[in-house]
Amino acid sequence: MSSLIEQAAKRLEQIRQAGIEVPGTAAPAEEQKRVAVPPKAVLARAVDVETPDDGQASSRHIEFDFAALAAAGIVTPHAPRTQMADQYRVIKRPLISNAMGKGAAPLAHGNLIMITSALAGEGKSFTSVNLAMSIAAELDTTVMLVDADVARPSVLRMLGLPDSPGLLDLLEGRADMAGVLLRTNVDKLTLLPSGTPHPRATELLASDSMRQLLDDMATRYPDRIIIFDSPPLLLTTESRVLATHMGQVVVVVQADKTLQADVQHALSTIESCPVRMMLLNQTRSDSHGGYGYGYGNGYGYGYGYQSEKAEA
């Protein structure tokens, strides 16, 4: 029996061969206007925090503008129930189960989850932010969102925030976690920027420093889930290196855009990851032309995934 990943890839090809064409980003005009984040939109602002008396660096604070986030299509805490919020509730559930050791099989670093795509522009950063926000609403978990797209950082830019020291600075030993971590007005959510660009970013991500950092991040707090917004798999080498450290990888695929061959090639680059999931973005979810997330089997949301020990 073919895996759900293979079924999803076939479904993508069927959609493409059927000649279904959706203008723009495959979202209706009114939905596109609501979801697309203007290039200079300010969805959050940095708040100055006084340095403690002991002279140690303190984490900076970010204030989200929840109204602006909601207008940009991003899930927000305590917002009215929406179809998108419900879709992310379904999307996060198996990820949380695996992260907390309640999945089909125990996973090493199951709480390290990489969000990526085959190519650029498929919605991975939008998915990363929404997934982190949704998980932060859980009662029993905390979330760190890491902008690991070191070649082209997206998370801070999406939120309208300036570049900031972060992951690469930690790996070079030029900063500590307290000095680069961004705390937010979502109690259970923190942000770790990608940091200062570096010509040897791939080597830094493959270094012992990275392995030690991830081990510490994964084990320091038992209730923490860490989401990594990664570069596209087929455009950079950094994402493939990062995947070797992950317990779970979610590949975002844009319906009616990404070719089956690209999906299969992308998946082949992360075969060593124990759990690989695929999220089909902007699928037609109903007869009225609405869009959602899924694997193309008629539902508005869902996954296809493979594991070393189990297949669903």
Side-chain angles (χ1 to χ4, degrees), residues 255-274:
D256 196 35
K257 176 183 176 181
T258 313
L259 299 179
Q260 177 183 358
D262 289 333
V263 175
Q264 292 174 332
H265 186 191
L267 292 171
S268 72
T269 67
I270 54 172
E271 288 181 345
S272 62
C273 185

Side-chain angles (χ1 to χ4, degrees), residues 150 168 198-207 236-238 241:
V150 294
L168 294 179
H198 195 284
R200 299 180 64 195
T202 300
E203 287 76 15
L204 285 174
L205 294 181
S207 67
T236 69
T237 57
E238 287 91 346
V241 171

Side-chain angles (χ1 to χ4, degrees), residues 42-48 61-65 159-162 183:
V42 179
L43 308 183
R45 64 185 181 89
V47 178
D48 292 334
H61 192 74
I62 298 298
E63 292 284 337
F64 287 118
D65 183 333
L159 298 173
L161 293 167
R183 302 195 181 278

Side-chain angles (χ1 to χ4, degrees), residues 16-93:
R16 185 176 68 85
Q17 292 177 352
I20 299 174
E21 296 184 1
V22 183
T25 60
E30 63 272 17
E31 183 73 6
Q32 187 182 68
K33 181 178 179 181
R34 183 179 69 83
V35 171
V37 180
K40 295 183 179 180
V42 179
L43 308 183
R45 64 185 181 89
V47 178
D48 292 334
V49 177
E50 294 183 0
T51 303
D53 293 337
D54 59 10
Q56 298 295 317
S58 62
S59 298
R60 291 163 294 165
H61 192 74
I62 298 298
E63 292 284 337
F64 287 118
D65 183 333
F66 294 126
L69 287 175
I74 295 175
V75 174
T76 59
H78 314 302
R81 189 164 186 168
T82 64
Q83 181 183 19
M84 179 176 288
D86 283 345
Q87 289 172 343
Y88 275 101
R89 287 187 177 98
V90 174
I91 289 168
K92 71 181 176 180
R93 194 55 52 202

Side-chain angles (χ1 to χ4, degrees), residues 6 23 84 181 217:
E6 292 169 339
M84 179 176 288
L181 198 64
M217 292 168 68

Side-chain angles (χ1 to χ4, degrees), residues 7 17-18 39 60 102 116 122 140 169 182 186 199 203 205 218 239 241 244-245 253 256 272 280 289 302-303 310:
Q7 294 174 28
Q17 292 177 352
R60 291 163 294 165
K102 300 177 182 178
T116 187
E122 300 194 65
D140 302 318
D169 302 275
L182 304 178
V186 177
E203 287 76 15
L205 294 181
S239 55
V241 171
T244 63
H245 300 292
V253 178
D256 196 35
S272 62
L280 191 61
Y303 289 102

